[in-house]
Amino acid sequence: MQEEDLLDVLLRVKEEGGLEFPITNNNIKAIFVDIFGGGTDTSSVTIEWAMTEMMRHPIVLEKAQSEVRETFKGNKKIMESDLQGLSYLQSVIKETLRLHPPIPMLVPRVCREHCKINGYDIPVKMKLIINAWACSTDPEYWDDAESFKPERFENSSVDFMGTNYHFIPFGSGRRMCPGINFGLTTVELFLAQMLYYFNWKLPDGLNPKDVDMMETEGAIAAKRVHLHLIPTSYASYN
Ligand code: HEM
């Protein structure tokens, strides 16, 4: 029997009925709009920034590529179920999300209780915007905060599950990103495949230091100028 996908499950639950709040077709459509809206740009932007930072830091690229090629030596395909033990690549992804959180200002909040922060009174119902990027690049919490150093996450317990407030690329609290595992797996699988199957070069002898690092304006911090790279097939995988 064919496995059910998410749409099958939602339609089945709707048909079975018996829920206190029945699911409607409109609810199902809204869920898919949310998933596509929340899940596409965020993941693709993270992949592009990760590749950009690796191209700017050839030693990091070499280390991540060696890890992937060593782990999958002789494999023709890399499957999602094989993604274990790529600890350096995971540090590269964390460091990418630290410097380039795709939604740097998170989703706005409304204050439920009066509070005081740094001497400022925040009244009830005040709209608040949290700058996740400022948190994850704050020199008070991060050594050499503006440098791309995946090694800082090796042997470190800091993670992005929403309780280390200096690193919240997926937000925190009840509106935290529900797609965190899906997003991370997509990014990791894509990067592992790119590093495994291809060698990468910047075009026209471009110096790594000269890669454009400007961001677009808006809710999503994408790369203003897309990264252009030249891939060559890595023959040893077959
Ligand atoms: C690298 C990938 C991703 C990043 C960095 C990311 C980041 C975020 C952030 C920062 C928020 C706001 C959280 C807050 O304000 O506390 C958010 C919300 C959300 N994300 Fe993601 N996301 C990613 C992937 C995904 C994926 C793959 C999906 C779905 C398949 C998804 C679905 C959503 C949804 C539905 C919300 C709104 C949640 C709500 O308002 O209750 N995200 N995401």
Side-chain angles (χ1 to χ4, degrees):
M1 211 180 81
Q2 218 187 330
E3 240 178 85
E4 283 183 309
D5 62 22
L6 181 60
L7 180 58
D8 296 321
V9 173
L10 290 170
L11 289 173
R12 175 169 53 75
V13 172
K14 180 192 146 207
E15 295 307 324
E16 283 168 2
L19 297 170
E20 192 182 350
F21 297 101
I23 302 182
T24 64
N25 277 348
N26 265 353
N27 295 147
I28 296 180
K29 281 191 238 166
I31 289 172
F32 277 89
V33 169
D34 251 11
I35 290 180
F36 281 109
T40 43
D41 281 357
T42 44
S43 307
S44 64
V45 157
T46 307
I47 290 168
E48 191 173 14
W49 283 120
M51 283 305 287
T52 304
E53 289 291 11
M54 284 193 278
M55 293 313 295
R56 276 165 33 99
H57 299 88
I59 293 172
V60 173
L61 174 67
E62 198 186 314
K63 216 167 147 183
Q65 201 150 35
S66 307
E67 179 185 69
V68 171
R69 289 185 177 166
E70 198 49 47
T71 305
F72 296 108
K73 210 173 185 170
N75 287 22
K76 283 214 163 141
K77 268 191 167 176
I78 302 178
M79 309 296 283
E80 185 187 324
S81 49
D82 301 328
L83 285 181
Q84 276 151 17
L86 297 179
S87 61
Y88 190 69
L89 184 60
Q90 281 157 14
S91 297
V92 169
I93 295 169
K94 278 188 175 172
E95 183 68 339
T96 302
L97 289 168
R98 186 182 73 80
L99 288 180
H100 311 280
I103 310 181
M105 300 294 182
L106 304 184
V107 170
R109 263 70 178 172
V110 170
C111 191
R112 284 196 307 186
E113 286 169 24
H114 174 269
C115 55
K116 219 175 173 106
I117 301 177
N118 281 352
Y120 291 95
D121 273 311
I122 318 284
V124 175
K125 290 198 178 163
M126 171 66 83
K127 187 165 150 187
L128 291 174
I129 294 179
I130 294 166
N131 187 339
W133 173 83
C135 301
S136 61
T137 50
D138 186 338
E140 210 178 298
Y141 294 92
W142 302 93
D143 282 340
D144 200 3
E146 288 185 13
S147 299
F148 184 79
K149 289 185 177 167
E151 285 73 13
R152 71 174 80 239
F153 285 106
E154 290 178 334
N155 306 317
S156 151
S157 60
V158 174
D159 69 28
F160 35 44
M161 300 314 284
T163 49
N164 299 134
Y165 296 113
H166 55 306
F167 188 39
I168 45 172
F170 294 95
S172 179
R174 67 167 69 177
R175 303 303 296 272
M176 188 180 168
C177 178
I180 180 165
N181 288 333
F182 190 178
L184 284 172
T185 308
T186 307
V187 170
E188 196 181 337
L189 183 60
F190 199 98
L191 287 173
Q193 290 175 336
M194 303 248 279
L195 296 179
Y196 187 63
Y197 296 120
F198 301 103
N199 291 327
W200 297 94
K201 250 185 16 196
L202 289 165
D204 305 325
L206 182 69
N207 189 315
K209 288 192 185 70
D210 295 332
V211 175
D212 189 303
M213 294 301 281
M214 290 297 285
E215 294 166 0
T216 53
E217 286 165 20
I220 301 262
K223 226 174 143 300
R224 188 186 62 175
V225 178
H226 280 305
L227 180 68
H228 289 173
L229 295 179
I230 301 170
T232 46
S233 182
Y234 170 63
S236 307
Y237 75 83
N238 49 27

